């Protein structure tokens, strides 16, 4: 990946750690959760490999074809699995984004400006659409990590009484598991799982910016 070496190493580390955590998740949960964890582990490790700074390690030309084939197969699998749940559509978009970046970064690919070479760039309209998607995904995921019922609005509107009501709401949310740090996320995973998905979403956004 082109860009600053420090940023590349940081993204590589975060994606590798996220991939390793997703790999651990494949040992527990329902079959659907284990399947999602395998998809996310593949995405995490694939992004980690792609994020290695080009100044440190330049991948051989065939590596981009391998990326395209692997994540093309993952996209087909996600498309087939989407019949049973819309949550697979995010995996589909992620896999297609990886294929797109692999093709855009391959040597000899002609970019939008008509110049050929390594990392010639992608189609601006498609890159922009993916950036909008991942920006929305990151904001949505970050919102899920904010504890429910913090009572900020109640405090602002009702003074001390609002604070009491807000505190009661927070306590109720914690009892229900929605306001604690390790509570269950909407899809059955922990909020640590959501944090890993958020990390990979941010990394994907940053990688798309380099095209």
């Amino acid at each position: 990946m082109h860009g600053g070496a420090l940023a590349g190493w940081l993204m590589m580390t975060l994606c590798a750690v996220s991939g390793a955590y997703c790999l651990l998740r494949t040992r527990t949960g329902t079959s659907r959760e284990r399947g999602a964890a395998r998809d996310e582990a593949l995405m995490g490790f694939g992004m980690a490999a792609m994020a290695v700074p080009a100044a440190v390690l330049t991948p051989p030309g065939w590596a981009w074809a391998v990326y395209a084939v692997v994540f093309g197969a993952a996209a087909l699998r996600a498309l087939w699995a989407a019949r049973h749940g819309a949550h697979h559509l995010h995996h589909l978009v992620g896999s297609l984004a990886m294929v797109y970046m692999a093709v855009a970064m391959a040597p000899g690919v002609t970019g939008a400006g008509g110049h050929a070479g390594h990392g010639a760039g992608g189609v601006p309209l498609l890159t922009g659409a993916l950036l909008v998607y991942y920006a929305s995904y990151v904001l949505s995921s970050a919102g899920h990590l904010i504890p429910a019922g913090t009572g900020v609005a109640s405090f602002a509107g009702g003074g001390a009484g609002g604070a009491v009501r807000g505190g009661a709401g927070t306590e109720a949310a914690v009892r229900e598991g929605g306001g604690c740090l390790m509570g269950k996320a909407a899809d059955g995973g922990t909020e640590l799982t959501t944090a890993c998905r958020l990390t990979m979403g941010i990394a994907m956004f940053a990688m798309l910016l380099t095209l």
Side-chain angles (χ1 to χ4, degrees):
M1 186 191 75
H2 292 274
L6 180 59
W9 285 121
L10 179 60
M11 277 196 290
M12 188 202 74
T13 302
L14 290 175
C15 290
V17 169
S18 297
Y21 172 72
C22 292
L23 197 61
L24 290 176
R25 285 171 44 221
T26 62
R27 303 172 59 184
T28 60
T30 65
S31 60
R32 191 187 80 170
E33 291 170 352
R34 291 195 300 272
R38 286 192 292 269
D39 293 339
E40 290 164 359
L42 174 64
M43 183 69 64
F45 290 130
M47 291 173 64
M50 192 177 283
V52 175
V56 176
L57 177 64
T58 301
W62 53 262
W64 304 108
V66 172
Y67 278 123
V69 170
V70 169
F71 285 99
L76 290 175
R77 181 178 181 275
L79 181 61
W80 180 259
R83 299 174 305 138
H84 306 296
H87 63 282
H88 291 287
L89 293 177
H90 176 68
H91 297 153
L92 173 62
V93 173
S95 297
L96 291 176
M98 291 292 285
V99 173
Y100 171 60
M101 288 193 293
V103 172
M105 295 179 185
V109 173
T110 302
H115 302 288
H118 182 79
V123 180
L125 184 61
L126 182 53
T127 302
L130 288 169
L131 286 171
V132 170
Y133 173 82
Y134 276 99
S136 301
Y137 177 79
V138 165
L139 292 175
S140 175
S141 298
H144 292 158
L145 292 175
I146 299 175
T150 55
V152 175
S154 297
F155 180 82
V164 172
R165 291 192 299 273
T170 303
E171 183 179 355
V174 171
R175 284 199 301 269
E176 293 171 2
C180 62
L181 181 59
M182 293 301 294
K184 299 292 280 184
D187 63 350
T190 65
E191 291 192 3
L192 182 56
T193 301
T194 304
C196 285
R197 291 169 180 165
L198 172 63
T199 299
M200 289 194 288
I202 294 172
M204 183 69 81
F205 183 88
M207 291 171 71
L208 286 165
L209 282 177
T210 66
L211 292 182

